[in-house]
Amino acid sequence: MIFKKYTLITSAVLLTLLFSCKGEKQVAVDINWVDRIDTTATNAHYISNRAPLKPSALIKLPVGAVRPEGFLKEYLIRQKNGLTGNLGEISAWLQKEDNAWLSKDGEGQWGWEEVPYWLKGYANIGYLLEDQKMIDEAMVWLEGTMESQREDGNFGPRHFDGDNQDFWANMIMLYCLQSYYEYSHDERVIDLMTRYFKFELNVPDENFLNGYWQKLRGGDNLHSVYWLYNRTGDQFLLELAEKIHRNTSDWIGRQHDLKDIHNYYEVRDGEEVPDWYRDQIDWHNVNHAQAFREPAQYALLSHDEQHTAATYENFNIIREHFGQVPGGMFGSDENARPGYADPRQGIETCGIVEQMNSDEHLLRITGDPFWADHAEEIAYNIYPAAVMPDFKSLHYITSPNMVLLDAENHAPGIANSGPFLMMNPFSSRCCQHNHSQGWPYFIENLWMATPDNGLVAAIYGPSNVTAKVGLEGNEVTIHESTHYPFEEDLNFTIETAVAVVFPLYLRIPEWTQKAEIFINGELVKSEISNSGYVKIEREWHSKDQVKLTLPMEIRVDTWEKNSNSFSVNRGPLTYSLKIGEDYIKRDSEETAIWDSKWQEGADTKKWPSWEVHPTTDWNYSLVLDKDNPAASLTVEEKEWPASDFPFTPESVPVLIKAKGKQIPEWQLGQYGLVGELKDLPKTTEAPAVDVELIPMGAARLRISAFPELKE
């Protein structure tokens, strides 16, 4: 596979049309294709990067400006009714008694990353659904956090990493405070952050970010400093930004260490990983998914394009060696290991949602549509597969090839000792709380403002946005009606009290060819085959309609470094072999790991764990025409599910019919995992039979990376 490298702005193609709008006078419309959105202007209505920071490429709208519709809204409702909405009553880490986040002196038995991990998603779901009960509950924690600020400016739990304060959990809570401010405009947030950052500035370098998580993840602290600087302009914040970068792990230079792994890439099962590999480089999957973006964040201040390029390089290197798999993530389990890159290796759910958050950050920073493509790839493929449809339990580890979810220990086949493949409400306390952010943050980044006072449909999904546009800041609402990513058409309807001129940008994904744009039923642009954005600038009237058609051809990707395995894709979706699923209920207390902690009095019987066992054969590869693989596959469209939830085997609206052959030698290996692809024969005498493929996100059991077969 060839992964996208860092690119610069290319030329634009301009098309000017005159056409009549619903029988009215002719309206001029300019249609441009651009690789990136121009940043020479500054948005007059939304806070952008303040000099000397580089101009914002895309500008995040305040929380609540973007609202989910359709299946995205259904996702949030299921989270509300599932684990996210109920953790406050069952997780010991969220109990209010003796909780350091609710203590004015920062003391308490309970209080580290779990509260802000959960609150990032919980509070924002409340804002997006306008659920007052959730908002009121979130305010208990936000008020407690603000009241915990001490004379020196520090706030939150007194948590230490050795002799130094651990700043990590505060970095997460700053996200929560920023979202709350965007929703409420409560100036106490600005005051708290100003005082806290003055405190951080006064901490000696030798005591600042001097510890494991905080040193690796300083980019999150940097993001919050920029956020405040753009609102206050306080110059000391730029000094603090330099200090944070100076004391954060060297993610700019780390790419050179990452390249050395090819020397050990063929390490086999059971062999010791070299000491230098364990000690010199941190290979924890969440750190890579979350922290690799820090150089691009720092580039906003340094203006050094090599820093931005380093983030792209870090992304590419980890996927070159561990990410030769479908679904958008990489095979790290908990810690990436040389020689363990088969599609049976997986990723933490924390790693999934943090990668989505990183993609959203980088989309705003660079404007590169690649990051939107990647965010969709993860959100619509591996993330739904990691969580039960009712959102009441989840995986710790999710893999592209995964055919048995049980309560057994699969180490060292995966780099974790414990029952980490089953669906469990207490699979691990980090993912249990942190998964909450995935969908609300994704939804908030569907639409963004542009420097030229326009709007961009940056990531696609059913939604609506209300925002100020044009020179005078007229408020418009755009309704996005679609069943994307399952269908090709996206329909946009504008509502505005007065006619207003502003640019509307539509992202063109890399995977599509010959996209088309219609305005009020008239074709205005066709044959769009370059990834980037189409800019439509005209005078918009209420009820104007835009339709974007993104043709979804079947694509077959070959993963050369993973035994020439291949995956089947249509649009942004990856498809998996449909496997029969038998759900076996287990007692969550009996299958819990050592750090699972329930609140006293919680009814654990309401929160079972689930094993999922296959009821049909899974050891198939596909029979494809090598010259034209898509000709061997047939797309079948079904009615949209009445549940508005398309991510179960029974409810998928699109499936693919194929021919498959069993590979008898392909069985579960010694660790109870799918046998590795490299050990399989390239031929089979089995007859070709009919098989079905369903979207990866709907498959709790799946084969997504198919073995190579030679006829």
Side-chain angles (χ1 to χ4, degrees):
M1 286 297 285
I2 299 175
F3 297 99
K4 178 166 181 170
K5 299 294 184 180
Y6 182 59
T7 57
L8 299 177
I9 296 175
T10 61
S11 60
V13 178
L14 174 65
L15 176 67
T16 302
L17 297 174
L18 290 173
F19 65 94
S20 61
C21 177
K22 302 176 184 176
E24 300 172 359
K25 66 180 181 179
Q26 288 187 322
V27 178
V29 55
D30 287 342
I31 300 181
N32 292 269
W33 174 87
V34 294
D35 181 48
R36 306 285 178 88
I37 295 172
D38 184 39
T39 61
T40 55
T42 301
N43 191 287
H45 318 302
Y46 296 103
I47 294 173
S48 308
N49 283 349
R50 184 191 293 255
L53 299 180
K54 284 181 62 177
S56 304
L58 302 178
I59 304 153
K60 186 179 182 296
L61 295 167
V63 174
V66 183
R67 302 279 184 181
E69 299 291 349
F71 74 87
L72 289 180
K73 186 174 183 179
E74 176 65 19
Y75 257 125
L76 295 193
I77 292 171
R78 291 186 181 216
Q79 276 196 266
K80 168 191 167 182
N81 295 329
L83 200 56
T84 300
N86 291 278
L87 268 176
E89 299 175 4
I90 62 176
S91 168
W93 311 100
L94 304 187
Q95 61 190 21
K96 296 183 175 68
E97 184 179 352
D98 202 20
N99 197 297
W101 286 105
L102 300 179
S103 167
K104 289 187 177 181
D105 61 6
E107 301 290 347
Q109 179 182 358
W110 309 99
W112 190 44
E113 65 181 7
E114 293 81 14
V115 166
Y117 261 164
W118 163 76
L119 193 60
K120 283 176 78 176
Y122 180 87
N124 287 37
I125 290 171
Y127 305 145
L128 294 177
L129 293 180
E130 298 180 284
D131 187 301
Q132 194 59 50
K133 183 179 179 181
M134 296 184 76
I135 294 171
D136 290 345
E137 176 64 18
M139 285 306 303
V140 172
W141 297 97
L142 292 165
E143 290 283 359
T145 295
M146 289 187 284
E147 291 178 7
S148 75
Q149 189 161 38
R150 300 178 277 281
E151 285 295 321
D152 61 1
N154 200 1
F155 76 94
R158 296 182 184 273
H159 197 276
F160 291 85
D161 190 335
D163 295 329
N164 302 301
Q165 175 172 335
D166 183 358
F167 290 91
W168 158 236
N170 283 19
M171 297 182 203
I172 318 172
M173 186 58 82
L174 289 171
Y175 272 93
C176 304
L177 291 167
Q178 290 157 212
S179 292
Y180 169 60
Y181 177 82
E182 291 177 13
Y183 179 77
S184 68
H185 302 289
D186 188 335
E187 290 298 320
R188 291 181 297 167
V189 172
I190 302 298
D191 179 63
L192 178 145
M193 292 179 67
T194 300
R195 293 174 58 201
Y196 176 66
F197 287 145
K198 287 181 178 178
F199 164 77
E200 284 196 325
L201 187 62
N202 288 325
V203 176
D205 274 27
E206 59 267 26
N207 303 119
F208 185 59
L209 303 186
N210 188 0
Y212 183 59
W213 301 114
Q214 55 184 325
K215 189 170 189 64
L216 287 156
R217 300 174 179 182
D220 281 299
N221 207 151
L222 187 61
H223 159 70
S224 296
V225 169
Y226 289 161
W227 183 93
L228 184 62
Y229 174 72
N230 288 332
R231 284 156 178 80
T232 68
D234 289 340
Q235 292 299 299
F236 84 89
L237 293 168
L238 299 179
E239 183 181 352
L240 177 58
E242 292 285 5
K243 175 179 179 174
I244 291 169
H245 173 71
R246 185 170 66 246
N247 288 282
T248 297
S249 293
D250 184 13
W251 286 96
I252 294 173
R254 178 162 295 210
Q255 56 189 293
H256 303 296
D257 296 327
L258 293 174
K259 290 178 179 178
D260 288 339
I261 67 173
H262 73 272
N263 294 325
Y264 298 95
Y265 189 69
E266 294 301 326
V267 170
R268 305 298 299 160
D269 288 359
E271 291 189 23
E272 287 293 323
V273 175
D275 288 340
W276 72 266
Y277 182 87
R278 284 195 302 263
D279 300 336
Q280 182 178 352
I281 305 173
D282 181 82
W283 291 97
H284 181 57
N285 73 98
V286 184
N287 289 334
H288 276 278
Q290 179 172 3
F292 81 98
R293 58 178 150 85
E294 192 274 343
Q297 292 175 296
Y298 178 61
L300 293 173
L301 182 57
S302 72
H303 292 241
D304 189 337
E305 295 297 339
Q306 291 185 0
H307 294 161
T308 307
T311 282
Y312 280 80
E313 188 71 8
N314 288 338
F315 177 91
N316 286 325
I317 289 169
I318 196 72
R319 281 164 177 77
E320 179 73 12
H321 294 285
F322 299 106
Q324 290 282 319
V325 291
M329 292 305 298
F330 49 94
S332 178
D333 304 328
E334 184 159 334
N335 298 295
R337 299 170 292 170
Y340 291 77
D342 189 86
R344 74 180 190 178
Q345 313 304 145
I347 193 79
E348 278 187 49
T349 303
C350 278
I352 293 171
V353 296
E354 292 295 356
Q355 181 67 61
M356 290 167 62
N357 187 26
S358 289
D359 290 344
E360 293 148 12
H361 273 286
L362 292 168
L363 176 60
R364 297 192 299 265
I365 290 170
T366 68
D368 187 346
F370 167 76
W371 298 112
D373 288 358
H374 195 252
E376 288 183 1
E377 183 180 10
I378 295 169
Y380 292 143
N381 291 293
I382 199 166
Y383 185 36
V387 180
M388 284 284 277
D390 61 6
F391 271 82
K392 292 183 178 180
S393 55
L394 66 153
H395 281 308
Y396 186 54
I397 298 294
T398 304
S399 308
N401 285 358
M402 182 172 258
V403 300
L404 173 64
L405 314 182
D406 59 20
E408 301 303 315
N409 178 13
H410 295 274
I414 62 171
N416 311 81
S417 295
F420 287 130
L421 299 191
M422 70 185 308
M423 294 289 188
N424 190 321
F426 279 77
S427 178
S428 182
R429 75 193 215 206
C430 55
C431 300
Q432 173 195 33
H433 297 84
N434 192 25
H435 82 280
S436 301
Q437 68 164 296
W439 287 117
Y441 275 36
F442 181 78
I443 289 163
E444 290 170 23
N445 286 275
L446 296 176
W447 290 88
M448 299 189 206
T450 58
D452 54 0
N453 299 320
L455 289 172
V456 54
I459 301 172
Y460 291 127
S463 60
N464 67 72
V465 59
T466 299
K468 296 177 181 179
V469 296
L471 293 175
E472 298 181 2
N474 300 94
E475 188 172 270
V476 302
T477 296
I478 303 178
H479 298 274
E480 181 178 352
S481 175
T482 184
H483 288 150
Y484 183 95
F486 300 92
E487 71 174 20
E488 299 176 338
D489 291 341
L490 299 109
N491 299 286
F492 306 90
T493 302
I494 287 85
E495 289 186 8
T496 175
V498 297
V500 57
V501 176
F502 71 91
L504 172 64
Y505 293 84
L506 304 175
R507 180 183 118 254
I508 307 299
E510 189 172 33
W511 48 259
T512 195
Q513 295 290 317
K514 299 182 179 180
E516 296 180 331
I517 295 175
F518 299 79
I519 299 179
N520 296 324
E522 184 170 346
L523 179 65
V524 297
K525 181 64 176 165
S526 61
E527 301 289 325
I528 311 169
S529 296
N530 292 320
S531 174
Y533 302 91
V534 171
K535 174 184 178 182
I536 309 171
E537 187 158 22
R538 72 188 292 272
E539 183 179 80
W540 298 96
H541 300 80
S542 205
K543 306 306 179 184
D544 277 343
Q545 295 186 344
V546 178
K547 183 172 80 169
L548 171 64
T549 298
L550 299 173
M552 294 181 176
E553 301 297 330
I554 291 178
R555 309 180 318 282
V556 175
D557 289 337
T558 298
W559 307 92
E560 295 179 1
K561 287 193 174 181
N562 229 318
S563 303
N564 283 318
S565 57
F566 62 91
S567 57
V568 175
N569 313 278
R570 179 179 179 267
L573 296 182
T574 293
Y575 282 74
S576 302
L577 181 72
K578 184 178 181 180
I579 302 170
E581 300 175 348
D582 179 27
Y583 288 81
I584 301 172
K585 184 186 292 189
R586 297 291 304 272
D587 188 304
S588 290
E589 288 197 276
E590 293 179 0
T591 59
I593 61 173
W594 64 272
D595 68 348
S596 298
K597 298 187 185 298
W598 301 80
Q599 286 187 26
E600 186 176 352
D603 187 353
T604 61
K605 301 303 181 185
K606 291 183 179 180
W607 299 92
S609 296
W610 295 93
E611 293 190 356
V612 187
H613 291 244
T615 62
T616 57
D617 293 327
W618 55 265
N619 53 350
Y620 286 92
S621 190
L622 303 181
V623 180
L624 297 181
D625 180 340
K626 300 301 183 183
D627 297 324
N628 185 12
S632 307
L633 305 167
T634 303
V635 176
E636 181 177 302
E637 298 184 8
K638 303 166 63 177
E639 289 190 11
W640 188 258
S643 64
D644 221 356
F645 191 82
F647 287 103
T648 68
E650 300 77 25
S651 66
V652 292
V654 181
L655 55 83
I656 294 176
K657 299 288 187 70
K659 293 289 186 182
K661 287 187 176 183
Q662 273 191 286
I663 304 174
E665 296 86 351
W666 197 16
Q667 300 292 329
L668 294 181
Q670 68 180 110
Y671 304 122
L673 301 170
V674 180
E676 291 187 278
L677 301 181
K678 61 181 175 53
D679 297 328
L680 298 181
K682 302 298 183 182
T683 61
T684 177
E685 298 299 321
V689 297
D690 293 331
V691 296
E692 290 185 352
L693 310 180
I694 61 174
M696 180 181 184
R700 273 73 202 170
L701 300 181
R702 73 197 74 84
I703 294 295
S704 303
F706 293 93
E708 179 187 31
L709 279 182
K710 295 181 178 179
E711 296 299 326

